[in-house]
Amino acid sequence: MSTEKIPAFGGKGYQSMRNNDFTPEAAIAEVIDNSIEAEAKNIKIKIFQSIPPGKRKERPHTIIFGDDGIGMDKKTIQYALQVGWSSRFNSRKGIGRFGVGMTYGAIRVCEFVEIYSREKGGDWLYTNLDIEDRPDNQQPGIEPVIQKPPPKELLSLVGDFGTLIIWKNIDRIGSEFDIKELRHWIGRTYRKFIGEKIVKNKKIQKNDN
């Protein structure tokens, strides 16, 4: 009998976890919730689409989220990609309560997640999670945090500090996905949080944020 600890799940663990019940909209909402929790005044989403071989309709291959919130320190940025970890457990600032679904939602739709984050007066930090099922990646893990600025073409999505999250290799968003419908869904879902006037304490009030 071995007395050594073994990983909680094997090399196929992430692939199994991809079969969760997150919709693309719910996965996106987890990222928006995190930005709201980080006191962001601006949250931007950029979606890149193309027509896959043998298909007729465009589908997303990359989604980028940027905010001008407070950013993350070295510990938080790495743990942010750990499934089940949260710095806002039981918070009610966003539409969710537990705050443990950002990575869970991301791996539902893509195989590669990158995070850049910077606190006020700090350096840009970077890490990623690659769960692509290939021979040289049988034990996926979160990469060590390094200092690395975002690509220049993406800096307009964040402030002088904030967080940039990139979903790459999207393979589980189908042809039914529609950006116009997503825009409408976000507006309806976050109507209490965005706009010059918001609903607060069951009253229409000026949005201080």
Side-chain angles (χ1 to χ4, degrees):
M1 179 182 296
S2 173
T3 59
E4 295 181 0
K5 287 187 178 181
I6 63 173
F9 49 80
K12 300 296 182 182
Y14 279 108
Q15 294 299 324
S16 298
M17 293 172 68
R18 301 193 74 196
N19 298 315
N20 61 57
D21 59 358
F22 270 79
T23 63
E25 291 80 9
I28 288 169
E30 285 288 337
V31 182
I32 296 174
D33 258 17
N34 286 350
S35 294
I36 291 173
E37 184 75 14
E39 304 174 9
K41 296 184 181 296
N42 296 282
I43 305 168
K44 301 178 182 180
I45 303 173
K46 194 168 187 176
I47 300 175
F48 294 88
Q49 298 192 111
S50 62
I51 301 176
K55 305 296 181 180
R56 296 183 178 181
K57 189 176 179 181
E58 286 187 324
R59 300 183 185 188
H61 60 78
T62 302
I63 300 179
I64 305 173
F65 307 84
D67 72 42
D68 56 0
I70 60 176
M72 290 182 274
D73 59 22
K74 187 174 182 179
K75 176 183 176 181
T76 305
I77 186 176
Q78 189 170 38
Y79 274 90
L81 286 174
Q82 185 183 71
V83 175
W85 183 87
S86 176
S87 63
R88 63 182 183 89
F89 184 80
N90 211 27
S91 171
R92 289 170 172 79
K93 287 186 178 180
I95 64 170
R97 175 177 177 181
F98 301 108
V100 297
M102 195 281 283
T103 302
Y104 202 49
I107 65 174
R108 174 65 177 87
V109 301
C110 74
E111 294 184 310
F112 191 68
V113 186
E114 295 180 285
I115 298 183
Y116 296 86
S117 195
R118 182 185 187 187
E119 295 180 298
K120 186 175 182 179
D123 296 310
W124 280 106
L125 303 176
Y126 170 84
T127 187
N128 69 65
L129 172 63
D130 179 1
I131 65 165
E132 183 181 355
D133 187 11
R134 61 181 191 271
D136 66 337
N137 196 37
Q138 292 305 297
Q139 289 290 342
I142 302 166
E143 290 296 316
V145 177
I146 62 173
Q147 290 185 15
K148 180 180 177 181
K152 291 182 179 180
E153 64 270 19
L154 300 181
L155 286 174
S156 62
L157 299 180
V158 292
D160 291 334
F161 48 90
T163 298
L164 190 73
I165 296 176
I166 305 174
W167 293 356
K168 290 183 177 178
N169 302 345
I170 294 174
D171 60 347
R172 295 196 176 187
I173 295 183
S175 59
E176 71 281 357
F177 182 82
D178 186 276
I179 292 178
K180 291 182 179 179
E181 291 182 4
L182 174 67
R183 184 182 294 114
H184 175 74
W185 183 88
I186 291 174
R188 185 180 72 245
T189 303
Y190 288 93
R191 65 190 182 280
K192 294 183 179 180
F193 300 93
I194 62 178
E196 294 182 0
K197 294 183 178 181
I198 58 174
V199 177
K200 189 175 182 180
N201 298 325
K202 298 183 179 181
K203 296 181 180 180
I204 297 177
Q205 302 181 24
K206 180 181 178 181
N207 185 2
D208 294 329
N209 195 29

